[in-house]
């Protein structure tokens, strides 16, 4: 009986300890981080930013900050910042919109919990890349591309591209439309996949052995990685595989490319 009573006490003590630890951990995870230093002043560069009554989209919108307005950062929670407006009112703004603010010096606002993906959301991008075909009828031909696109959400974007390729007695151009999926856009080195379709036109053929590709449609797939040098500049390394339709058969091509994009 004494042993049973002692075991019961031990179990009860363990349960109480776990409960206290869980409560402390939960309280810590929901704690508001108040800035110890003077509030950071930022200028809004979006057309507007919604100010909620609490740190979540379920809270009602109290105000809308206009473009060019100054705000002060008072506190933060995961994904949200408490701000003070110029009229003295306070509220909460999502980290994605806080990421699109600048300091009074004109420099980007690099604040805790704001990831690279937050910078990309609702952004247009343009870029340049170059590379070489490594497989198929265009093997060893070099190429360059220009692209432009829109990142609707942090991990999903669309783009259009145009490029030219050139090799020994070979000249041509191509264009395409792609869908880009980047599931870990919050990482500084971020892998992605790309699928798309387009058209390839070989304008100058080799004289001795012409290639089968003339003016042909293609489907393309790619895997790559982005390296973010800052909030709006990224270097990309990528491998693409092309499935090109010709009059006689489908032809496979492969290519490596490296380039950069800037977001605005």
């Amino acid at each position: 009986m004494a042993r049973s009573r002692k075991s019961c006490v031990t179990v009860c003590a363990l349960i109480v300890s776990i409960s206290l630890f869980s409560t402390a951990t939960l309280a810590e995870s929901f704690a508001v981080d108040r800035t110890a230093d003077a509030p950071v002043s930022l200028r809004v560069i979006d057309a507007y930013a919604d100010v909620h009554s609490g740190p979540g989209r379920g809270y009602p919108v109290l105000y809308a900050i206009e473009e060019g307005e100054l705000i002060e950062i008072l506190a933060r929670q995961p994904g949200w910042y408490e701000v003070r407006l110029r009229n003295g009112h306070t509220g909460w703004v999502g980290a994605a919109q806080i990421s699109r603010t600048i300091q009074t010096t004109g420099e980007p606002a690099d604040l805790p919990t704001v990831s690279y993906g937050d910078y990309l959301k609702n952004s247009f991008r343009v870029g340049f890349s170059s590379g070489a075909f490594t497989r198929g009828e265009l093997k060893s031909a070099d190429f360059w591309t220009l692209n432009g696109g829109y990142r609707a959400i942090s991990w999903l974007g669309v783009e259009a591209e145009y490029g030219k390729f050139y090799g020994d007695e070979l000249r041509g151009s191509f264009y395409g439309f792609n869908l880009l999926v980047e599931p870990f856009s919050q990482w500084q080195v971020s892998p992605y996949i790309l699928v798309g379709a387009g058209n390839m036109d070989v304008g100058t053929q080799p004289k001795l052995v012409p290639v089968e590709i003339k003016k042909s449609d293609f489907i393309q797939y790619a895997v790559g990685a982005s390296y973010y040098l800052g909030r709006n500049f990224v270097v990309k390394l990528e491998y693409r595989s092309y499935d090109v339709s010709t009059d006689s058969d489908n032809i496979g091509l492969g290519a490596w490319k490296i380039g950069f994009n800037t977001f605005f």
Side-chain angles (χ1 to χ4, degrees):
M1 179 68 71
R3 179 178 298 178
S4 176
R5 184 177 301 172
K6 184 176 180 181
S7 299
C8 183
V9 170
T10 302
V11 171
C12 290
L14 180 61
I15 293 174
V16 170
S17 299
I18 293 174
S19 300
L20 291 174
F21 176 78
S22 300
T23 302
T25 303
L26 185 63
E28 182 180 356
S29 65
F30 285 97
V32 176
D33 182 8
R34 297 285 171 181
T35 57
D37 301 326
V40 178
S41 293
L42 301 174
R43 188 178 303 278
V44 176
I45 57 176
D46 268 359
Y48 70 92
D50 290 332
V51 181
H52 296 256
S53 62
R57 297 194 179 279
Y59 291 92
V61 176
L62 301 178
Y63 318 102
I65 309 172
E66 298 180 355
E67 182 179 1
E69 187 172 342
L70 284 174
I71 58 175
E72 291 183 340
I73 303 297
L74 302 178
R76 70 173 182 265
Q77 281 190 359
W80 291 86
Y81 283 87
E82 187 181 22
V83 302
R84 179 186 293 121
L85 283 63
R86 60 184 178 185
N87 60 10
H89 295 145
T90 61
W92 293 83
V93 178
Q97 289 193 295
I98 288 295
S99 72
R100 294 186 294 277
T101 57
I102 59 176
Q103 301 178 51
T104 53
T105 59
E107 298 175 352
D110 291 322
L111 297 170
T113 76
V114 176
S115 70
Y116 294 96
D118 293 323
Y119 294 148
L120 307 185
K121 185 177 178 182
N122 296 328
S123 294
F124 291 94
R125 68 185 182 93
V126 294
F128 172 83
S129 62
S130 64
F133 288 97
T134 58
R135 178 171 58 88
E137 286 195 327
L138 303 183
K139 184 177 180 180
S140 298
D142 298 320
F143 67 87
W144 58 261
T145 62
L146 297 173
N147 65 72
Y150 179 72
R151 187 69 69 95
I153 51 182
S154 61
W155 55 270
L156 180 66
V158 293
E159 71 171 18
E161 65 177 349
Y162 174 80
K164 285 186 173 293
F165 55 88
Y166 44 91
D168 294 337
E169 300 182 332
L170 182 71
R171 298 288 187 278
S173 62
F174 60 94
Y175 64 86
F177 301 93
N178 307 315
L179 180 70
L180 185 145
V181 179
E182 191 173 341
F184 306 107
S185 61
Q186 71 273 20
W187 296 354
Q188 186 171 10
V189 178
S190 176
Y192 66 85
I193 58 175
L194 177 147
V195 295
N199 183 270
M200 187 173 293
D201 182 10
V202 179
T204 302
Q205 292 272 7
K207 295 179 180 179
L208 295 179
V209 184
V211 299
E212 291 188 45
I213 301 172
K214 295 178 177 63
K215 192 174 180 62
S216 307
D217 295 330
F218 64 82
I219 297 174
Q220 60 183 348
Y221 312 91
V223 293
S226 298
Y227 177 65
Y228 291 94
L229 299 178
R231 60 173 290 164
N232 60 353
F233 191 84
V234 58
V235 175
K236 301 173 69 174
L237 179 65
E238 176 182 298
Y239 179 79
R240 288 199 184 188
S241 179
Y242 299 82
D243 186 12
V244 185
S245 299
T246 66
D247 294 337
S248 59
D249 199 1
N250 285 4
I251 294 175
L253 304 175
W256 282 99
K257 61 185 297 188
I258 187 170
F260 69 90
N261 284 115
T262 183
F263 295 83
F264 58 91

